[in-house]
Amino acid sequence: MDQTKVQPEGGLNVTLTIRLLMHGKEVGSIIGKKGETVKKMREESGARINISEGNCPERIVTITGPTDTIFKAFAMIAYKFEEDIINSMSNSPAPSQPPVTLRLVVPASQCGSLIGKGGSKIKDMRESTGAQVQVAGDMLPNSTERAVTISGTPEACVQCVRQICVVMLESPPKGATIPYRPKPASTPVIFSGGQAYTIQGQYAVPHPDLTKLHQLALQTPPFTPVGQSTPAFPGLDAGAPASTHELTIPNDLIGCIIGRQGSKINEIRQMSGAQIKIANALEGSSERQITITGSPANISLAQYLINARLTSEVTGMGSL
């Protein structure tokens, strides 16, 4: 029996959880002024709607409840997105309205069942609902989940989610699932009591590599914890005079310090707190000048990080 045909409003009455991946702007639209929109969605649908914390560019919206409440919540989100599209188009000359797009986060072990043999299941979903469905080829970072993107009219999207839920109920995930957690725009680092911690969600997680770097940079024994009268960051207090240090790096190694679209150099700037400028290549020169400005501790941490990048590149150990 095809479960999707069971009474449309009651459907498969079991409790389910659906995870959606949204951009900050989309989340803002779902939350609404003073949280009114999401409150209304919770009340009218009867589903639990949770939004992940954090100043991340992406957030996870979790919808939990009996399937009929999930579909109601889902429909409300899809119609809200459509409303946003219509509002944003009121000033635009574009002749056709773009579709509503939603991204589900699904355990990778269930994606095979969603796609079906030779893509038969996903093809069937596209044809019967009129929605576009795409399953990402790669898993989301640090997880065993993949993004499933659905786009179309709100009605088509809801129909499509119904069918996805049926497949997910018929083929439960195999093994343990590592859920995707969006990363903050930049991972804040806290140094306390000689330890370095990175902030992940609401927790400070000890970061041994950074601790080593920090202690090396300060070249002092672990310092007094924050909040005591001695400065917690010898050489890092704001009053320390800034100085400048220059390094020369071979041209063919500069790429590993800059990283893709400047990602590595930005990371080094952030971790060291120093200002780092890379001079443009001079004609005929095989070297590039790097200028580091900051307190002595900032500079030594930046130098250490740059050297670590060079060492890993030269020894082929990959990124730090």
Side-chain angles (χ1 to χ4, degrees):
M1 183 180 88
D2 181 357
Q3 282 180 283
T4 49
K5 300 287 193 294
V6 187
Q7 339 84 17
E9 58 304 296
L12 346 148
N13 222 357
V14 286
T15 297
L16 252 186
T17 294
I18 286 192
R19 284 156 51 81
L20 289 167
L21 187 55
M22 291 189 192
H23 294 300
K25 197 175 163 195
E26 296 169 324
V27 170
S29 163
I30 297 303
I31 295 172
K33 269 194 187 130
K34 295 183 182 165
E36 280 167 17
T37 310
V38 74
K39 185 169 175 261
K40 188 173 172 222
M41 285 181 178
R42 284 177 182 134
E43 285 167 2
E44 291 187 14
S45 68
R48 278 181 30 213
I49 304 173
N50 284 334
I51 296 165
S52 70
E53 290 295 317
N55 56 340
C56 306
E58 292 182 318
R59 310 271 284 277
I60 296 275
V61 176
T62 309
I63 309 173
T64 307
T67 43
D68 53 344
T69 67
I70 283 183
F71 300 144
K72 274 184 205 158
F74 210 89
M76 291 174 85
I77 289 173
Y79 281 109
K80 179 73 181 89
F81 282 177
E82 184 184 52
E83 191 187 305
D84 294 343
I85 291 170
I86 292 168
N87 290 342
S88 70
M89 285 189 64
S90 56
N91 311 320
S92 131
S96 62
Q97 186 178 313
V100 167
T101 300
L102 296 149
R103 289 180 299 161
L104 272 63
V105 181
V106 176
S109 58
Q110 291 179 293
C111 288
S113 309
L114 280 181
I115 295 166
K117 234 186 186 144
S120 57
K121 187 73 198 164
I122 202 163
K123 183 170 179 274
D124 185 40
M125 271 186 211
R126 288 176 185 138
E127 284 170 3
S128 62
T129 64
Q132 272 303 316
V133 192
Q134 279 170 327
V135 178
D138 295 328
M139 291 192 220
L140 288 156
N142 307 318
S143 78
T144 56
E145 294 192 302
R146 291 192 198 183
V148 175
T149 307
I150 304 172
S151 55
T153 63
E155 298 80 5
C157 288
V158 175
Q159 280 307 321
C160 194
V161 168
R162 275 174 184 272
Q163 295 203 16
I164 288 173
C165 287
V166 174
V167 175
M168 287 168 77
L169 288 168
E170 287 173 351
S171 321
K174 297 166 198 72
T177 298
I178 301 168
Y180 172 58
R181 289 194 171 83
K183 279 252 190 299
S186 57
T187 310
V189 177
I190 291 177
F191 294 111
S192 170
Q195 283 283 325
Y197 298 90
T198 50
I199 304 301
Q200 291 178 12
Q202 299 161 349
Y203 307 102
V205 181
H207 200 307
D209 299 343
L210 287 181
T211 302
K212 275 186 251 158
L213 292 182
H214 190 60
Q215 289 173 359
L216 273 163
L218 299 177
Q219 286 158 350
T220 61
F223 39 80
T224 11
V226 177
Q228 297 191 2
S229 54
T230 46
F233 301 87
L236 277 182
D237 69 48
S243 51
T244 297
H245 184 83
E246 294 193 339
L247 290 174
T248 315
I249 303 281
N251 260 344
D252 54 352
L253 286 175
I254 200 79
C256 78
I257 289 169
I258 296 173
R260 273 179 69 183
Q261 296 175 328
S263 59
K264 286 292 165 202
I265 193 73
N266 285 339
E267 209 174 281
I268 294 172
R269 283 183 182 123
Q270 227 178 325
M271 284 157 93
S272 66
Q275 286 184 332
I276 304 169
K277 289 196 174 75
I278 299 177
N280 292 332
L282 294 171
E283 227 176 303
S285 164
S286 62
E287 295 181 323
R288 298 275 282 276
Q289 193 81 20
I290 296 184
T291 310
I292 309 169
T293 311
S295 70
N298 295 143
I299 290 175
S300 53
L301 184 46
Q303 268 181 283
Y304 180 85
L305 290 165
I306 288 170
N307 286 334
R309 288 287 315 142
L310 291 172
T311 310
S312 67
E313 184 71 11
V314 174
T315 57
M317 300 228 325
S319 63
L320 178 71

